[in-house]
Amino acid sequence: MVAGAASAQDAAPALLGHQAALELDAAGTAWLGTSTALVLLMTLPGLALFYGGMVRRKNVIATITQSVGVFAVVSLVWFIAGYSIAFGKNPSEGLQPYVGSLEMLFLNGVNLQTANSLLPGIPEFLFISFQMTFAIITPALITGAFAERFKYSALLLFTALWSLLVYAPICHWVWGGGFLGSAGVLDFAGGAVVHVNSGVAGLVCALVLGRRKGYGTDAITAHNPVLTMIGASLLLVGWIGFNAGSAGAANELMGVALLNTVLAAAAAALTWKLIEVIEKKKVSLIGMLSGIVAGLVAITPAAGFVDPKGAVLIGLIAGPVCYASSVWIKKLLRYDDSLDAFGIHGAGGLIGALLTGVFATTAINSLSEGANIGAQAIGLIWTIVYSAVGTLVILMICKFTTGLRVSEAEEAEGLDTVLHGEALDHS
């Protein structure tokens, strides 16, 4: 038996540069499996319903179907090459700070005994699944910027290219051993990687596509705030997996990240409400829900670096900042970010990432040592510039292949019937 065991060990394939031999942490594995399900819940059905309730009745199915399409495309892209580009170790030392490898195409080299060296106690297949849910929701957030006017064929092509060429490299820069992580940029669960990245991409999409037909002259109102409420509630619950799951273990850090997530959401909802009351003398349901999401976005980069007092302060600041971006700035500049992808995710991610440099404390996480706004700002500048340029290039590719926007007649009729041959029952 001893000789057989030695022979099997000798026959084991060599580990890739990013891998470690699995040393199973059963509790951490159980928690990360639960978190993976929660983060997937954020996109389907959470974000789908959140966005679906805010568009006009004639575009509900089309808006929800965008989230479904993003889920399908990104899952396969992540399996084929996305994970390898994001988390693989590039054999070239000169390229490693900027991009991963292609060694793991189709997850080649991953097996039941491997772990990513970032989390040696978690099976690599589970780590891949957890990170895949982040890769899914990021382009799904972008769809809010171009809701009610984007071709579905363009959506699928855009999503595939953007996931590979924009999301995966930025993910590598921060989490996969790249230059931003090495430079001390703190991003616990995706302030830059997910929210600023998607928000900036959404703004570029909104500017390139132009405004919806009738925007600024016709009433464009949410057809069902109750759907948005259900979606926002699922996002809130799913965000626990998003932030607390990023601790990578069932430990003390997971506990504080969970509490910080809830507190920041509550604080931002109240300050959004306060600004809305001052300006409009009323409190809208969608406004309160937007405030909750603003707080969730802002705490994302900070969740595992700040204490609960810092989380509350971040939420209190995020509410007015995201309100200003979603309402006042958008109205002033007259761009049509349909469902405030940039207004909430871009602005909220920016303020949250910067405030991480202010409120991060070693009492919560030793990695907070040396945290500062300057390092955070450098990370944000790289993310903003690369995301904006990459998104613009991909939009041009789509423009000259699938086309970008439906015709005016199709937009007027509604995308549910035009693109999908389905419609809500009006009876």
Side-chain angles (χ1 to χ4, degrees), residues 51-72:
Y51 279 170
M54 287 195 286
V55 296
R56 288 168 290 184
R57 188 180 183 89
K58 62 184 179 180
N59 295 313
V60 178
I61 292 172
T63 301
I64 291 174
T65 306
Q66 287 182 334
S67 291
V68 177
V70 168
F71 156 77

Side-chain angles (χ1 to χ4, degrees), residues 20 34 97 173 177 201 212 273 309 317 398 408 419-422 427:
T34 302
W173 296 353
R212 285 168 289 178
K273 170 185 175 179
K309 293 186 291 292
I317 295 168
C398 295
E408 285 194 11
L419 297 184
H420 305 290
E422 298 173 300
S427 59

Side-chain angles (χ1 to χ4, degrees), residues 130-153:
F130 181 63
Q131 290 297 332
M132 180 175 69
T133 60
F134 284 64
I136 289 169
I137 197 168
T138 307
L141 293 171
I142 300 172
T143 65
F146 51 65
E148 302 192 298
R149 60 199 188 278
F150 206 54
K151 283 187 172 182
Y152 199 72
S153 55

Side-chain angles (χ1 to χ4, degrees), residues 52-385:
M54 287 195 286
V55 296
R56 288 168 290 184
R57 188 180 183 89
K58 62 184 179 180
N59 295 313
V60 178
I61 292 172
T63 301
I64 291 174
T65 306
Q66 287 182 334
S67 291
V68 177
V70 168
F71 156 77
V73 170
V74 176
S75 297
L76 294 180
V77 166
W78 192 248
F79 157 70
I80 294 168
Y83 175 69
S84 188
I85 293 171
F87 288 97
K89 185 172 182 179
N90 199 301
S92 166
E93 290 187 11
L95 291 176
Q96 166 59 20
Y98 306 104
V99 66
S101 73
L102 295 177
E103 291 180 306
M104 291 182 292
L105 293 181
F106 300 95
L107 303 186
N108 180 49
V110 179
N111 59 60
L112 294 177
Q113 283 73 49
T114 62
N116 190 295
S117 58
L118 294 171
L119 291 175
I122 304 298
E124 189 169 12
F125 283 124
L126 177 55
F127 180 81
I128 292 167
S129 301
F130 181 63
Q131 290 297 332
M132 180 175 69
T133 60
F134 284 64
I136 289 169
I137 197 168
T138 307
L141 293 171
I142 300 172
T143 65
F146 51 65
E148 302 192 298
R149 60 199 188 278
F150 206 54
K151 283 187 172 182
Y152 199 72
S153 55
L155 169 78
L156 299 181
L157 177 59
F158 174 86
T159 298
L161 294 175
W162 195 88
S163 296
L164 278 177
L165 302 179
V166 178
Y167 179 82
I170 291 178
C171 180
H172 179 80
W173 296 353
V174 179
W175 294 332
F179 71 100
L180 291 183
S182 301
V185 173
L186 299 180
D187 191 354
F188 191 74
V193 176
V194 175
H195 296 294
V196 173
N197 193 6
S198 62
V200 169
L203 179 60
V204 172
C205 289
L207 293 173
V208 170
L209 263 73
R211 293 176 288 180
R212 285 168 289 178
K213 182 178 174 64
Y215 181 79
T217 56
D218 300 340
I220 299 178
T221 57
H223 97 285
N224 192 336
V226 174
L227 281 186
T228 300
M229 167 61 189
I230 296 170
S233 300
L234 291 168
L235 284 170
L236 174 60
V237 173
W239 228 289
I240 291 172
F242 200 73
N243 288 352
S246 293
N251 58 15
E252 302 90 339
L253 190 60
M254 178 269 282
V256 72
L258 192 160
L259 178 60
N260 286 344
T261 300
V262 177
L263 290 175
L270 291 177
T271 49
W272 183 297
K273 170 185 175 179
L274 177 62
I275 301 299
E276 195 172 44
V277 167
I278 292 172
E279 183 181 26
K280 301 179 179 178
K281 312 302 180 189
K282 293 181 180 179
V283 180
S284 68
L285 172 59
I286 287 182
M288 285 287 286
L289 299 175
S290 297
I292 288 173
V293 176
L296 293 170
V297 170
I299 196 59
T300 293
F305 297 118
V306 303
D307 61 22
K309 293 186 291 292
V312 170
L313 289 171
I314 288 172
L316 292 173
I317 295 168
V321 168
C322 291
Y323 183 92
S325 180
S326 300
V327 179
W328 297 335
I329 294 176
K330 185 169 72 170
K331 186 181 296 184
L332 178 67
L333 300 180
R334 293 182 58 78
Y335 60 83
D336 186 8
D337 175 10
S338 308
L339 308 179
D340 297 316
F342 175 76
I344 292 179
H345 297 278
L350 282 166
I351 195 65
L354 291 173
L355 291 176
T356 300
V358 176
F359 295 117
T361 171
T362 54
I364 296 297
N365 193 324
S366 61
L367 295 177
S368 298
E369 181 74 35
N372 62 88
I373 289 182
Q376 297 299 102
I378 289 171
L380 290 170
I381 290 169
W382 274 99
T383 300
I384 290 167
V385 172

